[in-house]
């Protein structure tokens, strides 16, 4: 299975580890910060960290001429920005209402939505094992929701429980963002570094008015300023690796691998935060990994 050791897969795995640490850090070290304000502050810090990389690696010749961008390219750029921005805000709100080891496996079923979107919008081939992968990843959601008793209860919880609803909506938004990123990198010809700046900066600008509305001042938070700098560095590095992975791999492969970040978040949440039902959630995370493996074959 050469693809499993390809540079693209290795970069995607590295991105997954960093995103998993980031998800855990949000639950462990961030308190009292509205989702919009958190996103803006983290993205400002991420752009500051990433500026030297963008300046040294990007040149005017490497960027496509804005005058030549057609409607599909503009829509792809908008989808990448909105998918990441909306997905993150929804996820942060889900995280505020539910435990990280409960919310994260539900949120990381992004590949279930990526595959049909990439098939319909980008004309990608759907591997035969992809159907099995979708079934296994869906099973991971079931296990994450199951608490014994009526076997149909997890489905009702996924529909009625607010954290689960937000996590699933976030997954849909992230899927739109993932497919759009692949379109921007593969079809439009954006360099990965440019996509990082566009996504981080675009999300910042879109959410800035809402962040101003939600701003209550640092004195209302329990989160110190250095935390935002650390989170920004994590996001800048992870976003760069994510863009490189999407430039090298189809979205239907890169997205499942990157979303194994759920494993990191679940383990850290269970071991360090002592969250309940760690065993069941580890099973859910393991199923997600198996599903990812089938999707990536």
């Amino acid at each position: 299975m050469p693809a499993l050791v390809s540079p693209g897969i290795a970069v995607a795995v590295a991105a997954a580890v960093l995103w998993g640490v980031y998800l855990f850090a949000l639950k462990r070290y961030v308190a009292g910060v509205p989702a919009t304000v958190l996103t803006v502050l983290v993205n400002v810090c991420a752009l500051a960290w990433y500026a030297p990389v963008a300046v040294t690696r990007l040149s005017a010749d490497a960027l496509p001429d804005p005058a030549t961008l057609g409607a599909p390219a503009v829509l792809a750029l908008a989808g990448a920005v909105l998918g990441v921005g909306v997905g993150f805000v929804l996820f942060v709100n889900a995280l505020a209402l539910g435990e990280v080891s409960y919310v994260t496996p539900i949120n990381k079923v992004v590949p279930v939505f990526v595959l049909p979107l990439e098939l319909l919008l980008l004309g990608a081939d759907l591997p035969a094992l992809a159907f099995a992968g979708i079934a296994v990843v869906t099973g991971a959601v079931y296990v994450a929701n199951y608490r014994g008793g009526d076997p149909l209860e997890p489905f009702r919880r996924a529909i009625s429980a607010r954290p689960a609803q937000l996590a699933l909506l976030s997954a849909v938004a992230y899927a739109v963002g993932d497919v759009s990123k692949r379109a921007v990198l593969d079809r439009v010809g954006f360099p990965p570094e440019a996509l990082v700046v566009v996504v981080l900066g675009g999300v910042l600008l879109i959410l800035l008015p809402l962040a101003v509305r939600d701003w209550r001042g640092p004195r209302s938070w329990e989160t110190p300023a250095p935390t935002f700098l650390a989170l920004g560095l994590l996001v800048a590095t992870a976003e760069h690796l994510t863009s490189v992975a999407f430039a090298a791999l189809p979205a239907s492969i890169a997205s499942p691998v990157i979303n194994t970040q759920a494993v990191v978040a679940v383990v850290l949440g269970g071991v360090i935060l002592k969250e309940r039902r760690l065993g069941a959630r580890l099973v859910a995370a393991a199923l997600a990994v198996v599903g990812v493996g089938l999707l990536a074959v």
Side-chain angles (χ1 to χ4, degrees), residues 66-131:
T68 64
L69 293 179
V74 173
L75 286 174
L77 284 168
V81 172
L82 290 173
V84 172
V86 173
F88 180 76
V89 170
L90 289 171
F91 178 73
V92 170
N93 281 288
L95 204 59
L97 297 175
E99 295 176 343
V100 64
S101 56
Y102 168 69
V103 169
T104 301
I106 298 173
N107 175 253
K108 296 312 165 190
V109 298
V110 178
V112 172
F113 304 108
V114 167
L115 276 170
L117 283 174
E118 189 174 35
L119 179 66
L120 292 172
L121 299 179
L122 302 184
D125 293 328
L126 189 64
L129 283 177
F131 295 100

Side-chain angles (χ1 to χ4, degrees), residues 11 46-47 49-64 77 81 181 184-186 189-202 235-248:
V11 171
L47 284 169
W49 283 112
Y50 199 71
V53 177
V55 169
T56 55
R57 293 199 177 190
L58 288 176
S59 64
D61 296 337
L63 298 173
L77 284 168
V81 172
K181 285 179 183 179
V184 168
L185 292 165
D186 188 46
F190 254 58
E193 296 83 2
L195 181 60
V196 172
V197 174
V198 169
V199 168
L200 292 177
V235 168
T237 308
E239 196 65 64
H240 174 77
L241 293 174
T242 298
S243 293
V244 172
F246 275 103

Side-chain angles (χ1 to χ4, degrees), residues 262-289:
V263 177
V264 179
V266 165
V267 171
L268 290 176
V271 174
I272 298 178
L273 300 184
K274 307 298 183 184
E275 293 182 346
R276 297 168 297 168
R277 301 184 64 251
L278 174 61
R281 287 165 182 174
L282 283 175
V283 171
L287 285 173
V289 172

Side-chain angles (χ1 to χ4, degrees), residues 101-221:
S101 56
Y102 168 69
V103 169
T104 301
I106 298 173
N107 175 253
K108 296 312 165 190
V109 298
V110 178
V112 172
F113 304 108
V114 167
L115 276 170
L117 283 174
E118 189 174 35
L119 179 66
L120 292 172
L121 299 179
L122 302 184
D125 293 328
L126 189 64
L129 283 177
F131 295 100
I134 291 174
V136 174
V137 172
T138 304
V141 179
Y142 178 88
V143 173
N145 280 277
Y146 188 58
R147 301 195 174 188
D150 185 355
L152 296 179
E153 181 62 23
F155 296 106
R156 286 192 284 267
R157 284 180 54 80
I159 294 173
S160 61
R162 190 63 173 170
Q165 291 172 343
L166 292 173
L168 283 172
L169 287 174
S170 174
V172 174
Y174 275 131
V176 172
D178 284 353
V179 174
S180 298
K181 285 179 183 179
R182 177 61 181 173
V184 168
L185 292 165
D186 188 46
R187 305 289 176 87
V188 182
F190 254 58
E193 296 83 2
L195 181 60
V196 172
V197 174
V198 169
V199 168
L200 292 177
V203 170
L204 191 161
L205 292 175
I206 289 172
L207 295 181
L208 185 58
L210 297 176
V212 171
R213 181 202 64 186
D214 296 337
W215 178 269
R216 296 193 298 268
R219 292 185 179 180
S220 66
W221 308 335

Side-chain angles (χ1 to χ4, degrees), residues 1 4 129 133 137 256-257 260 287-297:
M1 298 170 61
L4 294 179
L129 283 177
V137 172
V257 176
T260 56
L287 285 173
V289 172
V290 172
V292 164
L294 292 172
L295 290 167
V297 170

